[in-house]
Amino acid sequence: MRASYAADPQAHGGRLHPEPGDATRGPRDAFQRDRDRIIHSISFRRLRHKTQVFMAPDGDHFRVRLTHSLEVAQIGRAVARTLGLNEDLTEALCLAHDIGHPPFGHAGEDALEAAMAAHGGFDHNGQTLRTLTVLDSPYPRWRGLNLTWDTLEGLAKHNGPIPTPGWALAAADAAHGLRLNEWPSLEAQIAAIADDIAYDNHDIDDGLRAGLLTLDQLLEVPFVAAGWDAVRARFPDVPADRLVGELTRSQIGSMVNDLIAETQRRVAAAGVETVADVRAAGQCLAHFSAEMAEAERTLKRFMYANLYHHPRQLAAAAMAETVVAGLFAAYHADPAAMHDGWRATLPEAEPERSRHIADYIGGMTDRFAVRCYREVVGPIDLPDGF
């Protein structure tokens, strides 16, 4: 049974383009249709070859943006179900939240942001909205996926209100009225924190597998050490290398349980009864307890110091920035080097011209970006796996 403050697919905020024939395409409700449109989109499929932590991994066991998004959705749905929220809207938001990421993850985003500094910049969250409302266009009568207002709102501000949106998000707001000064639905808030839970723990698994982290290092983090002691106590006769998966699973469970309890406490304390109450609460209602929030911040600091800023990762990031910056400069100097469809629709005036080029590069996968770089710029030394 859904809570009174859960998003209602029968009372959603509408689609930009009315679709009176919705009922003829099966029994799905509006949020289920949004989720399915995202899953079937080209931009979602491209996440299969976009960096999560390790660029173009040559092993089959490392996460990429696609598998990360699926793991976020699994956590988000579990939390939404327990809290009586709309699971389908939560899942749609979790699946789509990283669609705007360019190749090479945050390194690629930094390079595009620098290249686009004179033309409004580049932000992966705004690019998610731009991709889903303008660029990914499988339908004959309109551009974009024509998602419901609730899904677009949740994607725009799942991390909270946005007082000064970038150009891409501002354009989406102008078209869809996303009320960027308000908090979003609880489904969107859960999607945001499910993202944190997923990468906090699964990046540990990948870091250990890659040899960039050691268990001894991790045990310097109090939250991890406490979890490890509990796992060892439950499985005293199992070799340590067989227990890493159990460690990450137990940490996810601890974070999820804490999130559920604290969110229930905040909702009750705020007297929330409707979706409108959630948006008018003036605060984030989906949250860790103070103790867990501090433990999670400590874990993040460790991960940045020891994994994300590891010398091998920094070298890969420098390579990625070279590729993305080189592509932008090359296409700006000679737009004819872009592939046919993009070359034919290149605007004449700025900033639209540069934004078009950024759209093209932003949608690339890691491997396609490297291939294009070699075609239009020249050779480049790459990590293993390309």
Side-chain angles (χ1 to χ4, degrees):
M1 182 177 177
R2 286 191 188 133
S4 60
Y5 42 79
D8 183 356
Q10 302 303 318
H12 64 79
R15 302 184 191 274
L16 183 62
H17 306 284
E19 298 182 29
D22 272 9
T24 68
R25 301 176 112 178
R28 298 169 298 166
D29 67 32
F31 298 151
Q32 291 167 345
R33 292 172 63 78
D34 280 2
R35 175 203 58 209
D36 295 350
R37 290 178 183 196
I38 290 162
I39 288 173
H40 292 299
S41 69
I42 290 174
S43 52
F44 183 72
R45 292 198 293 274
R46 282 199 298 256
L47 296 179
R48 181 166 64 102
H49 292 300
K50 289 196 176 188
T51 293
Q52 175 60 20
V53 174
F54 299 101
M55 296 178 187
D58 56 354
D60 293 332
H61 300 158
F62 294 103
R63 288 161 177 87
V64 292
R65 275 298 154 187
L66 180 62
T67 56
H68 164 70
S69 297
L70 294 172
E71 289 171 337
V72 175
Q74 178 266 328
I75 293 170
R77 278 199 77 118
V79 175
R81 182 181 302 121
T82 304
L83 292 173
L85 302 176
N86 189 288
E87 295 178 44
D88 300 308
L89 176 58
T90 305
E91 183 179 24
L93 296 170
C94 291
L95 291 171
H97 79 283
D98 270 353
I99 273 177
H101 264 288
F104 310 115
H106 292 288
E109 182 173 7
D110 290 344
L112 271 182
E113 168 66 21
M116 287 287 291
H119 308 290
F122 182 93
D123 165 66
H124 81 266
N125 195 48
Q127 193 68 14
T128 293
L129 272 291
R130 182 167 170 80
T131 300
L132 296 175
T133 61
V134 177
L135 302 177
D136 204 331
S137 297
Y139 297 99
R141 295 187 182 275
W142 52 72
R143 299 178 74 182
L145 300 187
N146 201 32
L147 302 175
T148 62
W149 180 89
D150 307 64
T151 298
L152 297 177
E153 181 231 18
L155 290 171
K157 53 186 181 177
H158 54 278
N159 287 316
I162 304 174
T164 54
W167 69 269
L169 193 50
D173 182 42
H176 301 275
L178 300 175
R179 292 152 53 182
L180 297 180
N181 60 318
E182 297 179 5
W183 283 92
S185 65
L186 265 173
E187 286 81 0
Q189 296 181 38
I190 291 299
I193 203 163
D195 182 28
D196 287 340
I197 293 172
Y199 76 72
D200 281 344
N201 293 286
H202 295 144
D203 290 357
I204 287 175
D205 184 36
D206 281 354
L208 288 169
R209 190 181 303 278
L212 271 61
L213 297 177
T214 67
L215 186 57
D216 286 343
Q217 283 179 299
L218 279 163
L219 294 181
E220 296 172 7
V221 180
F223 175 64
V224 179
W228 182 250
D229 288 344
V231 168
R232 292 294 286 162
R234 286 167 54 206
F235 302 99
D237 301 324
V238 177
D241 61 355
R242 295 286 307 278
L243 294 179
V244 170
E246 189 63 27
L247 171 66
T248 55
R249 284 188 292 273
S250 67
Q251 289 185 169
I252 290 171
S254 296
M255 287 182 166
V256 164
N257 289 336
D258 182 273
L259 168 62
I260 290 168
E262 179 64 14
T263 301
Q264 290 172 327
R265 187 192 70 77
R266 289 185 176 218
V267 167
V272 168
E273 295 183 358
T274 67
V275 177
D277 291 342
V278 172
R279 294 196 171 97
Q283 62 174 310
C284 182
L285 296 173
H287 211 282
F288 291 132
S289 67
E291 181 181 11
M292 182 61 76
E294 178 55 33
E296 198 259 352
R297 283 192 294 269
T298 301
L299 176 59
K300 269 191 171 67
R301 287 193 293 268
F302 170 87
M303 294 295 283
Y304 272 94
N306 294 280
L307 179 62
Y308 307 136
H309 293 165
H310 188 282
R312 197 175 101 186
Q313 292 294 87
L314 294 178
M319 178 279 300
E321 292 180 14
T322 296
V323 170
V324 172
L327 283 175
F328 188 90
Y331 292 139
H332 209 274
D334 180 18
M338 291 194 293
H339 289 183
D340 292 346
W342 289 89
R343 181 173 64 240
T345 56
L346 180 73
E348 290 291 332
E350 292 289 6
E352 290 78 11
R353 186 181 183 89
S354 289
R355 290 172 179 176
H356 184 81
I357 294 170
D359 287 339
Y360 181 47
I361 297 171
M364 292 179 176
T365 63
D366 295 11
R367 287 186 174 94
F368 185 69
V370 168
R371 192 177 92 191
C372 290
Y373 184 92
R374 286 169 167 159
E375 289 175 357
V376 302
V377 180
I380 186 169
D381 291 330
L382 301 171
D384 291 340
F386 281 92

